[in-house]
């Protein structure tokens, strides 16, 4: 991938390497290492045997000096079928965060390089890429490749001129300066997504290419397309996922794509448990910060062969079907929504319209509703007071109706010519967005926002935007009246619906209350 201002000085970023040499990316709060040939289970087994995996940082003399320091890794995770992720802490000021290696403790052979302790002089010269200037993923889509790149600085809401970009495919070993390079022109460019045609030889054999590892996103074992899937991106939402998935599964969601953005709170355990319970949940490790839009574009490609419709929403957002008015009976024949109502709605559009490519639903933003502690029965029962007017919308899309740019803004996509979107009437469906919860929960938002084109809470940009909490400012300091804020209308509709339809008739417990170990 060439950046537009680097045509002469080509910058090959994030190259796929052999098993001894990791790719390193320097984030604001950690260093990410992608290591091929080392799986998470192997690291856990060796750590359990007292052979800890450590991060190694070199001093100011680099290659010529022998000064280095060792720190424990922060976490290890699986990335894909080719590689694993190791997260290292940012070192002290006396040591370089740009040159990081790994070694097994106890002086045994290392993950990287040569020698008894795993240190390799060869590897010290490979420096970290900056997280905001890196090509971080690529995937096949038919006879094209879609590359995800930070640092292009393209506009948030429009397509850009693709002629300023080219894609480069190397053939041969990384250490060879004589590697054969193939180049194709970009077909489209928008936000952080660039689409290029594939060279003929790589169309026949994608594994021949190095550069970014090109992956196939087809889902093995999926024999029948699901009517309705959901895609989301999360950071430390272990306490929220179970209620959200169980509720929407009751409404008919059949498959879940969870993009995990560096969680460290048992999110992976909750997802694994739900999948074992039959909810068809897949976790996709997505370590790239400030890339929600690109992650959703990636998920749209991932879901295309498995799903007729995909809802893009957050784990604090819940579809709700209020009483239907007579003129809206075509959307639903029941007064109250029954089991699988959401799936029935999208299936109806699949059979009745060839031109509807997106269904948009308005959102009601709920506040703390007078609470100071997390509601024990979950958000759907605990939060019952909201702002009067809806804010924005979220969408369910047909993946095959999306424009080739995969341009997405506020959870809706640009559609191909010939397709259109439909706004659901609020009397038919609404999304309860539990946006402003008790302070303990809301405070976590200040850590970092996941969207590329939305300012972080600590920044003073767009303080009057609906993306922020009105009057809150840029510091995570609880206002004394926080429990009473954002309360203009008492709305118990979803609470009443959940208690009437999902509670166990003998115990009164809701489905997500039966496993308190993961809901606390």
């Amino acid at each position: 991938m060439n950046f537009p201002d680097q045509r002469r000085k080509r910058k090959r970023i994030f190259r796929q390497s052999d098993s001894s040499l990791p790719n390193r990316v320097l984030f604001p709060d950690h260093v990410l290492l992608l290591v091929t040939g080392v799986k998470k289970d192997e690291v856990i087994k060796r750590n359990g045997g007292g052979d800890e995996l450590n991060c190694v940082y070199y001093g100011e003399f680099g290659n010529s000096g022998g000064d280095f320091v060792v720190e424990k890794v922060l976490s290890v995770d699986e990335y894909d079928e080719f590689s694993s992720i190791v997260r290292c802490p940012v070192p002290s000021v006396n040591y370089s965060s740009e040159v990081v290696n790994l070694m097994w403790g106890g002086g045994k052979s290392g993950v990287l390089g040569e020698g008894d302790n795993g240190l390799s002089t060869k590897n010290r010269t490979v420096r970290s890429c900056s997280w905001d200037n890196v090509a971080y993923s690529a995937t096949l889509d038919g006879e094209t490749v879609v590359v995800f790149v930070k640092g292009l600085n393209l506009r948030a809401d429009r397509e850009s001129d693709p002629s300023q970009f080219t894609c480069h495919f190397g053939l041969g070993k990384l250490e060879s300066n004589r590697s054969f390079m193939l180049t194709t022109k970009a077909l489209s460019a928008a936000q952080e997504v660039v689409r290029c045609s594939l060279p003929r030889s790589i169309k026949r054999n994608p594994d021949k290419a190095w550069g970014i590892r090109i992956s196939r996103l087809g889902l093995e074992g999926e024999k029948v397309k699901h009517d309705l899937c959901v895609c989301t991106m999360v950071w430390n939402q272990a306490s929220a996922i179970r209620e959200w998935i169980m509720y929407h599964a009751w409404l008919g969601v059949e498959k879940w794509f969870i993009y995990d953005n560096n969680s460290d709170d048992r999110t992976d355990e909750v997802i694994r448990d739900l999948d074992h319970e039959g909810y068809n949940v897949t976790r996709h490790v997505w370590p790239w910060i400030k890339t929600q839009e690109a992650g959703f574009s990636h998920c749209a490609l991932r879901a295309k062969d498995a799903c007729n419709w995909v809802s893009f929403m957050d784990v604090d957002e819940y579809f709700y079907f209020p009483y239907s008015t007579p003129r809206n009976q075509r959307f639903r024949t029941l007064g109250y929504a029954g089991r699988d109502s959401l799936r029935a709605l999208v299936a109806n559009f699949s059979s009745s319209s060839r031109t509807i490519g997106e269904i948009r639903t308005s959102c009601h933003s709920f506040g703390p509703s007078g609470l100071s502690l997390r509601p024990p029965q979950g958000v759907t029962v605990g939060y019952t007071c909201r702002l009067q007017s809806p804010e924005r919308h979220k969408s369910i899309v047909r993946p095959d109706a999306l424009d080739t740019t995969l341009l997405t803004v506020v959870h809706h996509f640009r559609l191909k010519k010939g397709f259109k979107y439909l706004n659901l009437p609020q009397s038919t469906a609404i999304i309860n967005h539990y946006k402003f919860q008790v302070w303990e929960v809301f405070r976590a938002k200040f850590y970092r926002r996941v969207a590329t084109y939305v300012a972080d809470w600590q920044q003073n940009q767009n303080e009057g935007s609906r993306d922020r909490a009105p009057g809150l400012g840029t510091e995570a300091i609880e206002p004394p009246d926080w429990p009473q804020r954002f309360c203009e209308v008492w709305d118990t509709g979803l609470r009443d619906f959940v208690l009437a339809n999902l509670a166990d008739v003998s115990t009164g417990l809701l489905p997500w209350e039966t496993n308190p170990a993961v809901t606390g």
Side-chain angles (χ1 to χ4, degrees), residues 322-341:
Y323 286 109
S324 182
T325 59
R327 69 184 182 89
N328 291 322
Q329 287 300 313
R330 66 190 182 97
F331 295 105
R332 191 181 71 251
T333 58
L334 301 176
Y336 254 136
R339 187 184 289 270
D340 296 332
S341 290

Side-chain angles (χ1 to χ4, degrees), residues 157-423:
D157 55 353
R158 66 186 60 183
E159 184 177 1
S160 298
D161 178 11
S163 66
Q164 58 187 321
F165 304 109
T166 55
C167 290
H168 298 262
F169 306 82
L171 302 176
K173 291 186 177 181
L174 188 65
E175 59 267 19
S176 171
N177 292 326
R178 297 185 298 274
S179 296
F180 181 53
M181 182 76 70
L182 301 176
T183 302
T184 63
K185 294 181 179 180
L187 303 174
S188 66
Q191 296 175 331
E192 295 183 356
V193 181
V194 177
R195 184 187 295 270
C196 292
S197 58
L198 282 172
R200 184 178 303 173
S201 60
I202 296 179
K203 288 179 186 178
R204 295 193 297 264
N205 186 5
D207 290 336
K208 291 172 62 177
W210 58 259
I212 304 171
R213 173 75 73 172
I214 300 174
S215 61
R216 297 180 184 273
L217 293 184
L219 297 174
E220 297 181 1
E222 301 286 348
K223 297 180 180 180
V224 180
K225 265 194 174 183
H226 302 293
D227 284 322
L228 179 59
C229 306
V230 167
C231 180
T232 194
M233 186 174 293
V234 300
W235 172 76
N236 284 358
Q237 293 288 343
S239 63
I241 293 174
R242 193 170 185 86
E243 177 185 6
W244 182 71
I245 285 182
M246 285 184 161
Y247 171 80
H248 286 98
W250 195 90
L251 289 180
V253 174
E254 300 164 289
K255 185 171 184 60
W256 308 83
F257 300 89
I258 311 294
Y259 277 54
D260 191 347
N261 195 216
N262 298 304
S263 297
D264 57 8
D265 69 338
R266 299 178 295 113
T267 289
D268 58 336
E269 298 176 27
V270 177
I271 292 173
R272 183 180 63 248
D273 290 345
L274 285 164
D275 190 52
H276 288 167
E277 293 169 30
Y279 286 94
N280 200 4
V281 188
T282 59
R283 173 176 175 257
H284 184 79
V285 177
W286 190 258
W288 321 111
I289 64 174
K290 299 291 288 182
T291 59
Q292 185 181 39
E293 295 88 344
F296 280 0
S297 297
H298 189 274
C299 189
L301 291 175
R302 189 177 185 87
K304 185 167 62 172
D305 293 334
C307 312
N308 292 322
W309 293 87
V310 183
S311 173
F312 290 85
M313 57 192 300
D314 298 328
V315 296
D316 59 356
E317 295 168 339
Y318 286 73
F319 271 91
Y320 168 51
F321 293 88
Y323 286 109
S324 182
T325 59
R327 69 184 182 89
N328 291 322
Q329 287 300 313
R330 66 190 182 97
F331 295 105
R332 191 181 71 251
T333 58
L334 301 176
Y336 254 136
R339 187 184 289 270
D340 296 332
S341 290
L342 188 57
R343 184 173 66 191
L345 183 145
V346 299
N348 177 60
F349 283 109
S350 294
S351 59
S352 64
S353 174
R354 296 183 178 181
T355 60
I356 299 298
E358 181 177 60
I359 303 167
R360 297 182 178 181
T361 308
S362 298
C363 302
H364 276 146
S365 294
F366 280 70
S369 306
L371 302 179
S372 298
L373 299 175
R374 293 173 184 253
Q377 290 185 286
V379 299
T380 54
V381 173
Y383 298 116
T384 55
C385 200
R386 60 171 172 84
L387 298 177
Q388 182 171 2
S389 300
E391 292 186 315
R392 295 186 169 173
H393 62 264
K394 294 298 170 70
S395 297
I396 307 175
V397 303
R398 284 179 49 180
D400 60 352
L402 302 185
D403 186 73
T404 57
T405 61
L406 299 175
L407 181 63
T408 174
V409 181
V410 195
H411 297 211
H412 70 256
F413 286 79
R414 175 182 289 183
L415 301 177
K416 292 177 182 176
K417 291 183 179 179
F419 289 93
K420 60 185 179 181
Y421 66 84
L422 172 76
N423 287 318

Side-chain angles (χ1 to χ4, degrees), residues 18 47 77 93 116 120 142 182 190 206 265 293 299 316 375-376 400 465 469 493:
D18 60 35
N47 280 347
D77 213 335
V93 68
D116 292 337
S120 170
L182 301 176
D265 69 338
E293 295 88 344
C299 189
D316 59 356
D400 60 352
S465 169

Side-chain angles (χ1 to χ4, degrees), residues 105-122:
K108 300 181 180 180
S109 59
V111 174
L112 306 179
E114 304 161 353
D116 292 337
N117 59 2
L119 304 180
S120 170
T121 301
K122 176 185 69 173

Side-chain angles (χ1 to χ4, degrees), residues 101-152:
N101 250 335
L102 297 172
M103 65 178 290
W104 292 108
K108 300 181 180 180
S109 59
V111 174
L112 306 179
E114 304 161 353
D116 292 337
N117 59 2
L119 304 180
S120 170
T121 301
K122 176 185 69 173
N123 291 337
R124 297 189 196 184
T125 60
V126 180
R127 296 184 175 273
S128 302
C129 302
S130 172
W131 73 275
D132 57 358
N133 192 32
V134 62
Y136 53 89
S137 186
T139 182
L140 293 177
D141 185 27
E143 295 190 346
T144 66
V145 60
V146 180
V147 184
F148 299 85
V149 191
K150 289 202 75 71
L152 300 182

